[in-house]
């Protein structure tokens, strides 16, 4: 049964000194607009940019939680309203029901997202009245939510037979994971519905990881070491509160993404035979986290490409903050004739476009934006990029193929097909899928970390010297 006695939660963003806490109704109205946008195929990042800055942290926390519970919420709304409501009313209703979902399932909502049930009903109705497109549906929304309070058990009966309602992912996504990872799929789906920890990469050109950990401890932010340069924070903090962040001392980057640079450079000579720096290509570089990590680890002649001019500017911004230098160029890595100068690369990082199915705990809208056919389309793009870039690699060089995906078509199957096509390619055992959260590791190059990894795939492909 729904816990009607839970205390309403308040987020830190609602408690800024000297600022009145925004009403839940005001936030719910904005949350519903974001949810409606995602239903219509818009990226949540783009939608949140339109939210006023003072309200954005609280709205983001709420909308992330709603999207992590949206499958069950939509199933309940279908039972509450056999005729599909108007899009704006449906989005608001789904948002309110999703915020009740944990209590309906007998679970406790995360800290800061706990609201008394009748408060949610009243504030959802007030939110409806705030906008013309929902105002005429206020009585309908009120009736649906009050019926949910009265008939929660009956309305939820049998919901777990619907994969989308049970796992809060599209049914096709659930089935693909079940086939790709039969021993881990349930744990992966559960991990996706929990937020990932905030993880930092310390810029070793400015300080050591252990020294910066002491600085964080003094600032009241405990952290646990991970990998070579990483720190997993005990709690998330705004980047503006991280000591030295604006001066390039650290960056925010998940532990899985921090594996790319050392995997690419491990065992390669520090310089070329002609005593020059290694020539490295980061083929799909934006927003530049892996680009920067490579430059923090070694002195490189590095070219960073991205097809999007605005995203290239983000790479440049990141490099300036970290006091690093690279050539950044707007180009499609697959259209080699448009940008390559004919000189081979010693190492290539191909962090290829993918479904991003491994990072949905940080980007909960992705699961609702992707379609089943996207997997094959993106796998074809990945294969095209691999074929285009392999000839650019010098004999004895290395290509690291990476995706932030847990689908085998974008990882293991892609790498195996490439190795079958290319007799001059060899792979050590540095390949495999990392599974999100603590769902398990199907890779031989990583250890468990606090809070777990994002989902990723890596394959290290070496070109024979002959």
């Amino acid at each position: 049964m729904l816990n009607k006695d839970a205390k309403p939660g308040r987020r830190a963003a609602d408690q800024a000194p000297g600022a009145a806490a925004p009403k839940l109704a005001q936030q719910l109205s904005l949350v519903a607009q974001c949810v409606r946008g995602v239903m219509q195929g818009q990226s949540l990042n783009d939608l949140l940019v339109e939210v006023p800055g003072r309200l954005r942290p609280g709205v983001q926390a709420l909308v992330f939680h709603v999207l992590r519970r949206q499958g069950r919420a939509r199933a309940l709304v279908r039972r509450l309203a056999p005729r599909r409501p108007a899009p704006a009313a449906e989005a608001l209703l789904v948002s309110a029901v999703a915020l009740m979902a944990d209590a309906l399932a007998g679970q406790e909502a995360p800290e800061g997202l706990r609201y008394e049930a009748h408060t949610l009903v009243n504030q959802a109705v007030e939110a409806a009245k705030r906008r013309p497109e929902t105002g005429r549906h206020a009585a309908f929304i009120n009736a649906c939510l009050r019926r949910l309070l009265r008939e929660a058990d009956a309305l939820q009966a049998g919901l777990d037979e619907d994969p989308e309602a049970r796992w809060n992912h599209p049914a096709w996504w659930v089935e693909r994971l079940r086939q790709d990872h039969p021993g881990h799929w349930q744990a992966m789906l559960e991990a996706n519905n929990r937020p990932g920890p905030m993880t930092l990469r310390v810029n070793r050109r400015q300080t050591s990881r252990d020294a910066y950990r002491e600085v964080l401890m003094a600032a009241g932010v405990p952290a646990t070491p991970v990998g070579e340069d990483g720190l997993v924070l005990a709690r998330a903090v705004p980047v503006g509160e991280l000591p030295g962040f604006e001066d390039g001392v650290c960056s925010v980057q998940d532990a899985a993404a921090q594996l790319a640079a050392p995997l690419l450079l491990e065992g390669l000579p520090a310089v070329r035979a002609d005593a020059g720096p290694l020539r490295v290509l980061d083929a799909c570089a934006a927003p530049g986290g892996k680009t920067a990590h490579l430059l923090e680890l070694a002195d490189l002649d590095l070219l960073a490409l991205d097809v999007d001019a605005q995203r290239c500017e983000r790479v440049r911004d990141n490099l300036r903050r970290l006091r690093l230098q690279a050539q950044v160029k707007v180009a499609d890595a697959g259209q080699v004739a448009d940008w390559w100068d004919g000189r081979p690369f010693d190492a290539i990082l191909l962090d290829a476009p993918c479904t991003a199915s491994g990072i949905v705990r940080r980007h909960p809208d992705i699961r609702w934006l992707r379609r089943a056919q996207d997997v094959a389309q993106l796998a074809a793009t990945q294969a095209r990029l691999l074929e285009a870039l392999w000839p650019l690699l010098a004999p004895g060089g290395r290509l690291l193929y990476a995706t932030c995906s847990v689908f085998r078509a974008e990882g293991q199957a892609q790498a195996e097909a490439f190795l079958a096509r290319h007799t001059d390619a060899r792979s050590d055992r540095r390949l495999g899928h990392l599974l999100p959260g603590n769902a398990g590791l199907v890779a031989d190059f990583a250890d468990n970390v606090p809070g777990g990894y994002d989902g990723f795939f890596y394959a290290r492909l070496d070109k024979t010297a002959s």
Side-chain angles (χ1 to χ4, degrees):
M1 288 292 292
L2 188 63
N3 177 10
K4 301 182 177 66
D5 300 318
K7 300 297 182 183
R10 293 182 67 194
R11 288 156 301 284
D14 296 341
Q15 303 174 27
K23 293 186 67 173
L24 179 57
Q26 184 181 17
Q27 293 177 313
L28 273 174
S29 179
L30 293 166
V31 166
Q33 291 179 63
C34 290
V35 169
R36 181 183 180 185
V38 170
M39 288 178 174
Q40 295 173 339
Q42 296 176 261
S43 163
L44 182 57
N45 283 343
D46 294 339
L47 293 161
L48 286 170
V49 169
E50 302 301 318
V51 176
R54 182 179 71 87
L55 301 174
R56 194 174 301 142
V59 169
Q60 177 172 305
L62 286 166
V63 76
F64 271 38
H65 192 67
V66 167
L67 292 173
R68 291 178 179 128
R69 304 293 185 269
Q70 181 173 291
R72 195 169 192 85
R74 292 183 69 173
L76 280 167
V77 168
R78 286 195 293 270
R79 293 186 171 187
L80 289 165
R83 290 183 60 186
R84 187 171 184 177
E90 180 185 29
L92 181 52
L93 195 52
V94 165
S95 299
V97 171
L99 290 172
M100 298 178 181
D102 289 301
L104 287 168
Q107 301 169 354
E108 190 172 46
E111 183 67 33
L113 294 167
R114 300 167 191 166
Y115 293 95
E116 194 272 334
H118 288 287
T119 297
L120 274 170
V121 174
N122 294 336
Q123 292 296 295
V125 173
E126 183 178 334
K129 294 175 180 177
R130 284 173 170 262
R131 303 187 65 83
E133 62 266 36
T134 52
R136 63 182 182 273
H137 302 289
F140 165 75
I141 290 170
N142 182 53
C144 287
L145 294 177
R146 293 194 181 280
R147 181 187 169 201
L148 180 59
L149 296 185
R150 294 192 307 270
E151 304 174 25
D153 290 343
L155 288 165
Q156 291 188 101
L159 269 187
D160 285 349
E161 296 176 11
D162 176 353
E164 184 171 310
R166 170 65 180 87
W167 298 107
N168 287 296
H169 288 69
W172 70 265
W173 188 304
V174 175
E175 179 58 22
R176 182 174 282 272
L177 283 191
R178 190 185 66 79
Q179 293 180 10
D180 284 358
H181 303 284
H184 300 279
W185 66 277
Q186 292 172 311
M188 294 169 70
L189 292 166
E190 290 172 351
N192 284 347
N193 290 327
R194 297 189 296 268
M198 185 172 183
T199 306
L200 305 181
R201 185 190 75 245
V202 178
N203 184 353
R204 62 169 64 182
R205 289 187 179 268
Q206 295 199 34
T207 188
S208 70
R209 180 185 65 186
D210 291 343
Y212 189 67
R213 185 187 182 198
E214 292 298 320
V215 172
L216 288 176
M217 292 287 286
V221 184
T224 303
V226 58
E228 297 182 5
D229 300 299
L231 290 169
V232 179
L233 304 189
R235 60 179 176 85
V237 298
V239 293
E241 297 179 12
L242 293 171
F245 180 84
E246 293 301 330
D247 296 322
V249 174
C250 66
S251 300
V252 178
Q253 188 180 44
D254 185 75
Q258 290 187 41
L259 292 168
L263 278 174
L264 180 64
L265 298 179
E266 181 184 52
L268 293 181
V271 295
R272 298 165 57 92
D274 60 6
L278 291 182
R279 182 165 160 79
V280 176
L281 171 67
D282 188 349
C284 304
K290 299 179 186 67
T291 310
H293 197 190
L294 286 165
L295 294 167
E296 290 168 6
L297 295 182
D299 294 321
L300 304 170
D301 175 8
L302 191 149
L303 171 62
L305 300 181
D306 200 89
V307 71
D308 187 285
Q310 288 186 325
R311 287 169 59 81
C312 277
E313 197 55 42
R314 288 187 64 191
V315 177
R316 296 186 183 98
D317 289 342
N318 276 324
L319 294 178
R320 280 192 289 267
R321 182 180 64 83
L322 295 164
R323 305 175 189 174
L324 301 168
Q325 291 186 338
Q327 182 184 6
V328 181
K329 184 177 291 188
V330 180
D332 180 347
Q335 301 296 322
V336 172
D338 294 343
W339 57 267
W340 188 42
D341 63 6
R343 294 185 295 150
F345 293 97
D346 302 295
I348 297 174
L349 171 59
L350 174 56
D351 186 7
C354 69
T355 57
S357 58
I359 58 173
V360 292
R361 61 182 187 160
R362 301 185 190 279
H363 301 278
D365 56 322
I366 287 172
R367 72 190 85 181
W368 306 117
L369 294 173
R370 290 297 181 204
R371 299 293 178 263
Q373 59 267 29
D374 294 342
V375 181
Q377 292 171 358
L378 285 160
T381 297
Q382 295 150 18
R384 175 179 67 85
L385 289 169
L386 279 166
E387 293 300 322
L389 296 177
W390 186 248
L392 280 56
L393 188 64
R398 175 179 297 153
L399 185 150
L400 183 68
Y401 166 65
T403 64
C404 54
S405 176
V406 292
F407 297 146
R408 284 180 59 86
E410 300 182 286
Q412 196 77 28
Q414 185 76 260
E416 290 172 353
F418 179 84
L419 288 166
R421 292 193 304 269
H422 292 272
T423 58
D424 60 344
R426 298 286 183 271
S427 179
D428 62 10
R429 292 183 55 80
R430 302 292 186 160
L431 79 165
H433 283 279
L434 293 166
L435 305 186
N438 293 311
L441 298 171
V442 189
D444 66 345
F445 52 83
D447 299 317
N448 283 304
V449 301
Y453 289 96
D454 283 348
F456 247 84
F457 177 83
Y458 286 111
R460 198 162 73 177
L461 306 169
D462 293 313
K463 179 176 279 191
T464 56
S466 60

